[in-house]
Every structure is written in structure tokens, then in C-alpha cells.
Amino acid sequence: ALRGFSGRRVIHRHLVIMDDAEELIGGYDPLVEEFESYEDYLDSQISEVDLYYLDDVELARQLVELGHRGNGEIVKRAEFIARKEASEIAKQQRANKKPKKLASAGKDLDTFPLLKALAQREEAVRNGKLTTIIFIRDLNAKKQEVSGYIDYAHRLKTENWEPVFDRTQRLLPKATDLSFFNWETQKATCNATPNFQVIGDNEAGLMFKNKRDRKVINVDPHKRPGDNTTRTDITTDEYLQVCIWDHVSRRRT
């Protein structure tokens, strides 16, 4: 092996393609996470054939940096260094960031089964370890029966839940949720969220596909809910009917 060469045989792409754009949020940069130094990055673009003919790792690195060797568009040294520094700053900021206070923290919810169940799940749902779908059937303010499936994580991210856990605001499905149906007006809607795709045009009935691991959640009470999913029926006087599906999402490999 030539001096200074890492000996890696596989030629890496100059960018790592992620399953979801969300992986790039928060300062995460797959390129600089994979390579400790710019030289390591250059080495990953050098093949054994290049080394056989050039017989000089420094020359091979120079040719890669100039764009004469390598796989795809080569990231320039200045850009790599800038991205490395930005990644380190983002890491430090994440390490110093105080955990966000849970909306359910300090609330006495023992006599409110649904809110208690949601409080138990809030932290895991907020940090992405769990995705939860809530089904609610009840009467709205106009005494019309409505029902729908709610993406708990999406609601947590887009709404203030302090009034919900304080019981000053009632949790009900909306026309913007995963699904919504007003039994009096016959209004029906379905919407994808950042976490779930709605599958409604099949003989099996309404189902939801988790966008992270592509697993399908079957909400039919007579069928298995699906891989890594558990169904919990909530017995409560708060609503006519409540059910929760918890899905532990795993990145597809």
C-alpha cells in the first residue's frame, strides 16, 4: 500500500442520498460526518486502478481535487472545510440546547384517560422515537358527530398543546388531519402529513403508510395493525370513541 493512502477500495459518492430531506435539518451534513478530513474524502474518490497507474497517492489526490479523477462532481477543499466547521457548530448548539418543556408537564391527568395516554407519549413523539395516530369520534360544538384520524406528532409540532392538556381546549379531529368525516354534512377529507401517507383507494379500507420506514398501519379493528405497531382502545367518558395506534418507526435499510 502506498504511504498516506487509507486503502479503501470502494469509491464513495460525493454526497450521501438520504431517504428523507429531514435528515439534513439541524446542521446534519452526511458528507462531513463520513470523512474526518478532506484528504480522507479525496482518498475515497481514488480507485485501486488509479493508484496502480499513478503510483503516487499525493498526485492522485491532486488529480481528484482538480476534477480529473473521482466519481461525480468533486467538493472543493474550501467548501468541505466550511461545511465541516458549520457541522461542528451545529453539533455544539444541539449539545447546549435545553430540552423543550413538555406541554403535559406538571398536569394532573389521572381522571382523563386520553389526555393521560397522550401525556405518556408526548416526549417520545416529540423526539421522533414514536409516531402515534389518534382516532376520535365525538360531537363538535354544533352537536354534529365527527370522526377522524390525527397525526399526533404533526399536531404537536404545529399547535400549542398547553390548552389541550389544561383542558381549556377540546381535542377534536379537523378537516386538515389525516382523515376527517362529518356524519351530518357528509364532509370527508384526507391529507398526507410529514409522517404519514393516506391509502384510501383499496378494498382493505383506510390505511396509513409511515413515510420513514414505509410500514403500513391498518386501522381495521379486525386486522393486525402492522409491523412495529400496537393498537390501544381508550375507555373514557371524554369522547364517544377513542383509539390510539403507536408505531415505532425504523429507517428502511
Side-chain angles (χ1 to χ4, degrees):
L2 292 172
R3 184 175 57 193
F5 182 59
S6 63
R8 282 186 253 209
R9 186 173 182 179
V10 178
I11 300 176
H12 292 265
R13 293 169 293 179
H14 76 286
L15 284 177
V16 178
I17 304 300
M18 311 306 284
D19 284 345
D20 295 289
E22 65 184 320
E23 293 290 349
L24 300 177
I25 295 174
Y28 180 81
D29 189 327
L31 177 68
V32 298
E33 290 290 333
E34 183 175 0
F35 303 108
E36 285 296 322
S37 68
Y38 188 64
E39 284 67 31
D40 287 341
Y41 164 68
L42 295 176
D43 288 349
S44 75
Q45 302 288 321
I46 302 171
S47 70
E48 291 183 352
V49 174
D50 291 333
L51 286 174
Y52 177 80
Y53 286 107
L54 294 172
D55 198 35
D56 186 333
V57 68
E58 290 301 328
L59 176 59
R61 286 173 176 170
Q62 290 174 22
L63 290 174
V64 170
E65 191 167 358
L66 291 171
H68 300 305
R69 288 289 188 278
N71 184 37
E73 183 181 352
I74 300 302
V75 175
K76 300 300 183 184
R77 183 181 295 271
E79 180 185 349
F80 181 93
I81 293 172
R83 287 167 64 172
K84 193 75 171 177
E85 291 175 350
S87 178
E88 292 301 319
I89 291 172
K91 280 184 183 178
Q92 190 62 43
Q93 288 175 339
R94 289 196 298 271
N96 294 336
K97 188 177 179 181
K98 294 181 179 179
K100 185 175 181 180
K101 181 185 176 183
L102 300 178
S104 59
K107 308 291 194 300
D108 182 6
L109 304 170
D110 284 343
T111 57
F112 303 93
L114 173 59
L115 294 181
K116 182 178 180 180
L118 296 181
Q120 292 168 341
R121 292 160 170 79
E122 183 185 1
E123 184 173 9
V125 170
R126 284 190 185 278
N127 64 30
K129 293 180 180 179
L130 185 72
T131 50
T132 295
I133 294 174
I134 311 161
F135 173 78
I136 291 178
R137 181 171 64 88
D138 205 46
L139 303 179
N140 63 15
K142 296 180 180 179
K143 303 302 179 183
Q144 300 168 332
E145 184 174 329
V146 296
S147 61
Y149 293 85
I150 299 168
D151 178 351
Y152 186 27
H154 184 51
R155 282 276 204 111
L156 279 174
K157 190 172 183 179
T158 58
E159 297 178 0
N160 176 18
W161 275 67
E162 289 278 355
V164 176
F165 286 115
D166 281 336
R167 305 190 308 282
T168 58
Q169 179 179 312
R170 189 168 172 75
L171 176 62
L172 282 174
K174 300 178 179 180
T176 53
D177 283 316
L178 282 169
S179 81
F180 170 85
F181 185 63
N182 184 311
W183 292 83
E184 181 172 317
T185 65
Q186 297 295 295
K187 178 181 180 179
T189 61
C190 287
N191 306 281
T193 69
N195 305 300
F196 294 104
Q197 174 187 344
V198 181
I199 306 174
D201 54 352
N202 65 89
E203 295 179 359
L206 188 65
M207 295 190 291
F208 304 99
K209 180 185 285 188
N210 184 281
K211 290 184 177 180
R212 185 175 178 86
D213 62 10
R214 310 300 192 261
K215 299 293 186 182
V216 173
I217 298 173
N218 192 332
V219 295
D220 185 334
H222 304 295
K223 303 286 181 64
R224 288 184 63 252
D227 295 341
N228 309 323
T229 300
T230 57
R231 172 191 169 111
T232 305
D233 291 290
I234 306 292
T235 303
T236 177
D237 295 329
E238 301 167 88
Y239 299 93
L240 295 176
Q241 185 182 359
V242 177
C243 188
I244 292 176
W245 288 264
D246 293 312
H247 182 74
V248 180
S249 57
R250 295 183 173 90
R251 169 73 58 198
R252 185 179 57 173
T253 57

